Amino acid sequence: MKTYRANLGGGIDGIVMRDESIPTPGPHQMLVAVRAVSLNARELSILQGYYPLPVKPDLIPVSDGAGEVVAIGDGVTRVKVGDRIAAAIFPRWIDGPFGWDFAAQLGGSLDGMLSEYALLPEDAAVHIPPHLSFEEAATLPCAAVTAWNAISGGAPLLPGQTALTLGSGGVSLFALQLAKLFGARVITTTSSDSKAKRLLELGADAVVDYRKTPDWHAKVRELNGGRGVNVIVEVGGAGTMEQSLKAVAFSGQISQVGWLDKSASSISIAALSATVTTVRRIAVGSRAQFLAMNNAIAMHRLKPVIDSVFPFEDALEAFRHYARGNSFGKIVIRHDGEACRSLITFLSSATNPDGAATIVGETDYPAAPWRGHGPERPDLT
């Protein structure tokens, strides 16, 4: 199988493709034919050498991916061969608050998804909504789950309340879409008229251009009747946190997701003291949150925003495109369906002695796995 390998601080040019053996799943493991992956800021952080969690050497990069289960090991009960699944980034984080015991993550301390096949623990499996393609489902594990946690994991955003999202990155776009599902009003910031138009088309109630309005917090409060907003999905870090503190409502919540501005920060204590607010640091989300989000996505038939799709062979160009910072929506790397078919045919020719993995044959492979199948409201547990 073809797989990519990378190292902490190795840069985009340090990503290499290799031919490796197709693994066989052991007890409580599944083998997934990966059909699509998507990129996140964490991938660039790892390549640039400043990711906060442990990173194994010579790892298979990229946390987010979706595909089809083609083989299972002994004792697997959560999936069966043929299931369409995405992988939870933190396979051990099933529910409850985040902790160090759950910190092992795909594309970091564990091998990730930028490979023709991924060997995963069954606990990582999350069934994907049937109306989504593999490309769309591959955008969910990091950015979408983070956005869901940001608006529902603390004091949940309620219908009629107001949320503020910053910019048009993956988390911010999902937060906008999901907040509208909650029946909330959404104000968002951007830096261009063209992006403002697209944000309004996605459902934003108001857009503030932070270049034309440097003190955007005042405009945000004005747009919400002077009260400030209930929930802020804060992705900017040093460059935006102080203004977010000034834009949040009394007893509101700031969900701190990222730090796009990595300069040193001196947060004003006066700004922090001026409002009674909660600041939550978000670390993606648990599998239970992923499942809850997928149920909402399936019910409302929400579609992720995709900027561009690259073939598997052009993965490095996908990374370079993402690093330029000009995208609107997710960057996806797609596997060729016929190539996956050939590999599965190869697997089906293998022997299956007692106790070995169960392997799907060519005739069991869905004719159009990129199209949704199953009932309109599936059981996504």
Side-chain angles (χ1 to χ4, degrees):
M1 69 176 183
K2 303 290 186 183
T3 190
Y4 286 93
R5 295 281 179 175
N7 283 284
L8 180 69
I12 294 174
D13 290 337
I15 303 173
V16 296
M17 180 190 283
R18 296 181 188 162
D19 286 309
E20 300 185 9
S21 299
I22 299 172
T24 299
H28 302 289
Q29 290 182 325
M30 59 183 179
L31 184 66
V32 176
V34 182
R35 297 302 304 273
V37 303
S38 73
L39 303 182
N40 297 283
R42 67 178 299 281
E43 272 72 60
L44 296 183
S45 294
I46 289 171
L47 294 174
Q48 293 163 3
Y50 54 79
Y51 191 61
L53 292 174
V55 176
K56 63 175 289 188
D58 199 37
L59 85 153
I60 299 174
V62 183
S63 61
D64 289 18
E68 182 165 5
V69 178
V70 294
I72 56 174
D74 287 343
V76 171
T77 59
R78 296 193 64 252
V79 297
K80 64 183 184 300
V81 167
D83 283 359
R84 300 188 335 137
I85 64 103
I89 293 178
F90 296 102
R92 298 176 187 167
W93 186 12
I94 306 304
D95 201 356
F98 187 64
W100 187 251
D101 290 344
F102 312 136
Q105 11 75 66
L106 301 182
S109 59
L110 305 172
D111 279 331
M113 302 293 288
L114 193 55
S115 178
E116 289 181 319
Y117 282 90
L119 183 64
L120 301 169
E122 68 165 322
D123 283 342
V126 177
H127 291 88
I128 60 180
H131 73 286
L132 296 183
S133 67
F134 284 117
E135 291 85 354
E136 291 164 334
T139 70
L140 301 179
C142 184
V145 176
T146 298
W148 179 269
N149 189 0
I151 64 176
S152 70
L157 184 66
L158 300 176
Q161 291 186 334
T162 303
L164 172 66
T165 63
L166 306 181
S168 54
V171 172
S172 296
L173 292 181
F174 274 119
L176 164 58
Q177 291 179 287
L178 293 170
K180 296 308 294 183
L181 297 191
F182 280 52
R185 185 167 178 263
V186 181
I187 302 171
T188 188
T189 65
T190 191
S191 59
S192 72
D193 292 340
S194 60
K195 287 184 177 180
K197 181 176 183 294
R198 297 189 68 180
L199 290 165
L200 290 167
E201 290 171 351
L202 272 179
D205 295 277
V207 180
V208 179
D209 188 322
Y210 59 80
R211 291 187 176 175
K212 296 177 182 177
T213 311
D215 293 330
W216 49 262
H217 69 275
K219 183 63 175 178
V220 169
R221 295 190 74 94
E222 176 189 328
L223 288 168
N224 205 40
R227 298 185 300 276
V229 298
N230 303 98
V231 174
I232 299 177
V233 182
E234 166 59 60
V235 299
T240 56
M241 178 58 85
E242 188 163 334
Q243 291 212 56
S244 289
L245 286 166
K246 294 176 180 179
V248 71
F250 193 80
S251 296
Q253 176 178 282
I254 298 175
S255 295
Q256 202 276 316
V257 172
W259 59 97
L260 296 178
D261 183 344
K262 294 176 174 61
S263 60
S265 175
S266 297
I267 298 296
S268 167
I269 297 299
L272 187 60
S273 302
T275 184
V276 179
T277 190
T278 299
V279 179
R280 294 179 64 236
R281 179 67 175 100
I282 304 298
V284 191
S286 66
R287 192 182 76 195
Q289 289 173 310
F290 198 162
L291 291 167
M293 179 196 72
N294 274 1
N295 281 324
I297 287 174
M299 181 176 295
H300 294 275
R301 301 187 69 81
L302 182 147
K303 287 278 193 173
V305 181
I306 293 178
D307 174 89
S308 50
V309 180
F310 291 79
F312 183 73
E313 294 75 17
D314 293 341
L316 270 66
E317 185 53 40
F319 276 89
R320 295 186 184 103
H321 177 67
Y322 183 50
R324 294 183 193 109
N326 299 321
S327 56
F328 187 96
K330 298 290 291 180
I331 309 300
V332 173
I333 300 169
R334 175 173 58 198
H335 292 266
D336 178 75
E338 290 306 314
C340 286
R341 254 178 229 280
S342 297
L343 288 166
I344 291 170
T345 302
F346 169 77
L347 268 182
S348 67
S349 67
T351 59
N352 186 21
D354 292 341
T358 301
I359 300 175
V360 62
E362 170 68 11
T363 56
D364 299 317
Y365 196 72
W370 52 87
R371 291 198 294 268
H373 56 275
E376 286 298 308
R377 294 183 59 182
D379 179 5
L380 297 177
T381 56

